[in-house]
Amino acid sequence: IRGELFITKTGFEAHNKERARKGLRIYKSPSSAVSGLAKSKENFNQKIIEFHGFLISGWVRVETQTETLRKLRELRINGWRNGFYTTFNLPQDFYALCRYIQNSQTRRDEFDSYIDGLVIKANLLSEQRKGKIIAFKYGSEKPQINQTPSQH
């Protein structure tokens, strides 16, 4: 299973507050927090890190991205509580795709996660293997950090 680890805005802020309270260095960004926590032996509340799976290979046969996401949900591998899947969409034409891109950028503040873009894929996995994937990045969304002890 291939995927991405991430931390919610709420989890990031709470973890930094806890680190500051303990006199530990706080993380500058959610990505540095996830990276640092995933690599560390530090005892932390593992519920603050989420996993978003997007690819299954080998042991489960699926032909589309839609089937993949449904299978990950059935297997209870993906967390569905932070809005990622409410944004999953299968546009029927180019104009619907353009509207979806604009709408998702406008709505990204509604989610409890820092969202820096979209990944647009062909629904057929065979087409994805041919390179039919586009990463669409938004402008920067900087988390608000309280300047306390030293920083990572």
Side-chain angles (χ1 to χ4, degrees), residues 48-110:
I48 66 169
I49 293 184
E50 304 271 344
F51 175 74
H52 170 67
F54 52 78
L55 181 65
I56 303 173
S57 62
W59 55 277
V60 175
R61 297 286 177 223
V62 290
E63 294 182 19
T64 68
Q65 189 67 47
T66 306
E67 289 176 46
T68 301
L69 295 174
R70 285 190 185 123
K71 181 54 77 176
L72 288 166
R73 184 178 187 186
E74 286 173 21
L75 296 171
R76 297 178 185 259
I77 291 171
N78 272 344
W80 284 64
R81 63 181 169 227
N82 288 305
F84 275 99
Y85 292 100
T86 59
T87 65
F88 174 76
N89 193 309
L90 193 57
Q92 298 305 310
D93 60 43
F94 178 75
Y95 297 105
L97 175 61
C98 291
R99 285 190 304 274
Y100 180 74
I101 291 169
Q102 278 188 314
N103 185 42
S104 64
Q105 184 171 5
T106 305
R107 293 185 55 224
R108 71 182 180 159
D109 291 337
E110 296 174 19

